[in-house]
Amino acid sequence: MTDVKFTHIGGPTVLIEVAGVRLLTDPTFDPPGRTYRFGWGTSSRKLTGPALAVADLPPLDAVLLTHDHHADNLDDAGRALLPSAGTVLTTASGARRLGGGAIGLRPGDTHELTVPGRPAITVTATPARHGPPLSRPISGDVIGFALTWPGQANGPLWITGDTVNHGSLRTAARALQPGTVLLHLGAVRFPQTGPLRYTMAAADALSLLDGLAPTTVLPVHYEGWQHFSEGHDTIADTLDGAPSALARPYTWLPLGSPHTVTV
């Protein structure tokens, strides 16, 4: 068993500390107030800033970047820290855009993170679809990450990435049997595309996790931006109202302070 510290910085940005290895997901550190373009006429305004500044971070061993082309997952300040962040793992198309030695992964690809004196962490890219069917040419490539290391007691740590619930995701989840899930939610919508969603709603998450048995589920990426249609209260109501057969040990990470999970 391993005690893992999760520090939620805001949105999808989480500092994960595993046996002395420091990982950062989707760096977003810009201040609030700016509107960012997401392409095809869509945009969103950042409403809240990060709970920690870049200067408050410890030295990083790796960044796990689910995708590079949306500012709510990689903004200007987050992009600026990448050269000092050790290994950067992201999509194959994102690695080409970023350059600088970023390592591109496609779903199913693996990469072994090695830090001297620390246990190796195997990172496997998992499938994600950032919108409705046939939206990939518009919304771009996204991946999630499954992390395994020696002595893990409860199954892999799975970071879903920005995704809707779809067949390939469900298949991957059942193959993984994750023990801990960092779950991207928020039910992203844009006025230009009406009811179409680009990330999971809480009901989608219940469906995805039905039949799985994670010991801990950590919702993230549901607050701080204009384009989220489900925030904390709506998500909590849905999760709390789920039938007992779908009940999961959901934990709301505090902003800016570490929370320890045994993985």
Coordinates of all heavy atoms in Angstrom, one line a residue, residues 165 185 197 200-208 230 235 238-239:
N165 N -18.8 10.0 -21.6 CA -18.9 8.5 -21.4 C -19.2 7.9 -22.7 O -20.1 8.2 -23.4 CB -20.0 8.2 -20.4 CG -20.1 6.7 -20.0 OD1 -19.2 5.9 -20.4 ND2 -21.1 6.4 -19.2
L185 N -15.3 16.1 -14.4 CA -16.7 16.3 -14.6 C -17.0 17.6 -15.2 O -16.3 18.1 -16.0 CB -17.4 16.1 -13.2 CG -17.3 14.6 -12.6 CD1 -17.9 14.6 -11.2 CD2 -18.0 13.7 -13.6
R197 N -22.7 18.0 -24.8 CA -21.8 18.0 -23.7 C -20.4 17.6 -24.2 O -20.3 16.7 -25.0 CB -22.2 17.2 -22.5 CG -23.5 17.7 -21.8 CD -23.6 17.1 -20.4 NE -23.7 15.7 -20.5 CZ -24.9 15.1 -20.4 NH1 -26.0 15.8 -20.4 NH2 -24.9 13.7 -20.5
M200 N -18.1 14.8 -18.9 CA -19.2 14.0 -18.2 C -20.0 14.9 -17.2 O -19.4 15.7 -16.5 CB -18.6 12.8 -17.5 CG -18.2 11.7 -18.4 SD -17.7 10.2 -17.4 CE -16.0 10.7 -16.9
A201 N -21.3 14.6 -17.2 CA -22.1 15.0 -16.1 C -22.0 14.0 -15.0 O -21.5 12.8 -15.2 CB -23.5 15.2 -16.6
A202 N -22.5 14.3 -13.8 CA -22.5 13.3 -12.7 C -23.2 12.0 -13.0 O -22.7 11.0 -12.6 CB -23.0 14.0 -11.4
A203 N -24.3 12.1 -13.7 CA -25.0 10.9 -14.1 C -24.2 10.0 -15.0 O -24.3 8.8 -14.9 CB -26.4 11.3 -14.7
D204 N -23.4 10.6 -15.9 CA -22.5 9.9 -16.8 C -21.5 9.1 -15.9 O -21.1 8.0 -16.2 CB -21.8 10.8 -17.8 CG -22.8 11.5 -18.6 OD1 -23.8 10.9 -19.1 OD2 -22.6 12.7 -18.9
A205 N -21.0 9.8 -14.9 CA -20.0 9.2 -14.1 C -20.5 8.0 -13.3 O -19.9 6.9 -13.2 CB -19.4 10.2 -13.1
L206 N -21.8 8.1 -12.9 CA -22.4 7.0 -12.2 C -22.5 5.8 -13.1 O -22.3 4.6 -12.8 CB -23.8 7.4 -11.7 CG -23.8 8.3 -10.5 CD1 -25.2 8.8 -10.2 CD2 -23.2 7.6 -9.2
S207 N -22.9 6.1 -14.4 CA -23.0 5.0 -15.4 C -21.6 4.4 -15.7 O -21.5 3.1 -15.8 CB -23.6 5.6 -16.6 OG -23.6 4.6 -17.7
L208 N -20.6 5.2 -15.8 CA -19.3 4.7 -16.1 C -18.8 3.8 -15.0 O -18.2 2.7 -15.3 CB -18.3 5.9 -16.3 CG -16.8 5.6 -16.5 CD1 -16.6 4.8 -17.8 CD2 -16.0 6.8 -16.4
E230 N -22.5 21.9 -14.7 CA -22.7 21.3 -13.4 C -21.6 21.6 -12.5 O -20.4 21.3 -12.8 CB -22.8 19.8 -13.5 CG -24.1 19.3 -14.2 CD -24.3 17.8 -14.0 OE1 -23.4 17.1 -13.5 OE2 -25.3 17.3 -14.4
I235 N -23.5 18.3 -8.8 CA -22.9 17.0 -8.8 C -23.1 16.2 -7.5 O -23.5 15.0 -7.5 CB -21.4 17.2 -9.1 CG1 -21.1 17.8 -10.5 CG2 -20.6 15.8 -8.9 CD1 -19.7 18.2 -10.7
T238 N -26.6 14.7 -7.3 CA -26.7 13.6 -8.1 C -26.0 12.3 -7.5 O -26.6 11.3 -7.4 CB -26.2 13.8 -9.5 OG1 -26.8 14.9 -10.1 CG2 -26.3 12.6 -10.4
L239 N -24.8 12.5 -7.0 CA -24.1 11.4 -6.4 C -24.8 11.0 -5.1 O -24.9 9.8 -4.9 CB -22.6 11.8 -6.1 CG -21.8 12.3 -7.3 CD1 -20.4 12.6 -6.9 CD2 -21.8 11.2 -8.4

